[in-house]
């Protein structure tokens, strides 16, 4: 199946610093990628839709200035958590659609972010 | 937008028994309904999906049914095994993006 690679898998950072997470589609091109956030024992909450060559679309309640998304190529989207705080600690995971009518979602491995 | 509800939140079954998870959705325009299995700390893995033009789909021990009129769909796992223990998420595709249910923690006891 399609492969989506996310890096890093784990990161610990200090409050106030920024962290960049990369999401790559390894064997297919993705004009759209999705970024999710998942708290322990909870569901995946869509944060934003990353669109290649244009601005990302953010879900209601997600601060676009805090969660910067860049989709500069057909195989790479990045999420930067700026001025991180402990409450930003979470599991961040990306997905890229593929398959019939571009509906099947393939997920990256996820990034466990801990802000201390 | 789309709203997906999933029940139960936890499900304990004896090995060999069947497990059923149910989801409802709100957007009648949704046309794609995948199910994902997620083990602790890992990415969700697609286990089966169904499109709105099909009422039932089966893949070995896993089956999914869809009732478009009632706007609900279900996951059926037969002959459960300990390795089926995980969190299962249903999802519905509406407005171009997937909306996930809250998840069901399935525990299969030997």
């Amino acid at each position: 199946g399609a492969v989506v690679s996310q890096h890093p898998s784990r990161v610990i950072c200090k409050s106030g610093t920024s962290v960049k997470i990369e999401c790559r589609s390894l064997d297919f091109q993705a004009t759209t990628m999705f970024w999710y956030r998942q708290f322990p024992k909870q569901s995946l909450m869509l944060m934003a839709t990353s669109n290649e060559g244009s601005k990302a679309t953010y879900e209601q309640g997600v601060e676009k200035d805090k969660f910067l998304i860049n989709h500069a190529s057909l195989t790479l989207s990045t999420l930067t958590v700026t001025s991180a705080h402990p409450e930003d600690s979470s599991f961040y995971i990306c997905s890229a659609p593929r398959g019939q009518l571009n509906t099947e979602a393939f997920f990256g491995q996820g990034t466990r972010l801990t802000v201390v | 937008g789309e709203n997906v509800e999933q029940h139960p939140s936890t499900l304990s079954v004896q090995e060999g028994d069947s497990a059923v998870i149910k989801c409802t959705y709100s957007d009648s325009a949704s046309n794609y309904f995948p199910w994902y299995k997620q083990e602790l700390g890992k990415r969700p893995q697609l286990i089966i999906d169904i499109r709105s033009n099909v009422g039932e789909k089966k893949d070995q021990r896993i089956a999914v049914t869809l009732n478009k009129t009632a706007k609900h769909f279900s996951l059926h796992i037969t002959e459960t095994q300990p390795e089926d223990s995980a969190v299962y998420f249903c999802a519905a595709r509406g407005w171009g993006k997937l909306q996930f249910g809250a998840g069901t923690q399935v525990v299969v006891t030997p």
Side-chain angles (χ1 to χ4, degrees), chain A residues 4 34 36 38 42-44 46 49 59 91 93 100-105 107-110 112, chain B residues 31-32 34 36 38 41-46 49 51 89 93 96-103:
Chain A
V4 176
F34 300 95
Y36 296 86
Q38 186 177 34
Q42 293 190 23
S43 187
L44 294 93
L46 180 65
T49 303
E59 295 300 300
F91 189 61
I93 191 164
Q100 185 181 352
L101 302 178
N102 239 17
T103 51
E104 296 171 35
F107 286 88
Q109 303 96 312
R112 174 71 60 192
Chain B
N31 57 8
Y32 176 65
Y36 290 88
Q38 187 180 28
K42 297 188 176 180
R43 78 182 89 190
Q45 297 275 9
L46 179 68
D49 57 11
R51 299 181 191 280
F89 292 99
R93 180 178 181 268
K97 48 195 176 186
L98 285 176
Q99 185 69 40
F100 287 85

Side-chain angles (χ1 to χ4, degrees), chain A residues 10-102:
Chain A
R10 291 179 181 273
V11 58
I12 300 174
C13 71
K14 292 183 177 180
S15 290
T17 62
S18 295
V19 173
K20 180 186 283 188
I21 303 170
E22 294 186 347
C23 181
R24 294 180 185 273
S25 55
L26 297 186
D27 55 354
F28 67 102
Q29 294 182 333
T31 56
T32 301
M33 290 186 179
F34 300 95
W35 286 96
Y36 296 86
R37 183 173 181 174
Q38 186 177 34
F39 290 108
K41 298 187 178 181
Q42 293 190 23
S43 187
L44 294 93
M45 300 303 297
L46 180 65
M47 298 175 65
T49 303
S50 173
N51 304 299
E52 188 269 334
S54 64
K55 292 182 178 180
T57 305
Y58 290 82
E59 295 300 300
Q60 191 173 8
V62 178
E63 299 175 59
K64 59 182 67 177
D65 294 330
K66 180 166 183 64
F67 299 100
L68 301 179
I69 290 173
N70 184 279
H71 195 148
S73 78
L74 288 171
T75 58
L76 174 64
S77 174
T78 60
L79 169 68
T80 301
V81 183
T82 63
S83 187
H85 292 283
E87 54 265 33
D88 298 325
S89 299
S90 188
F91 189 61
Y92 293 86
I93 191 164
C94 66
S95 78
R98 196 187 181 191
Q100 185 181 352
L101 302 178
N102 239 17

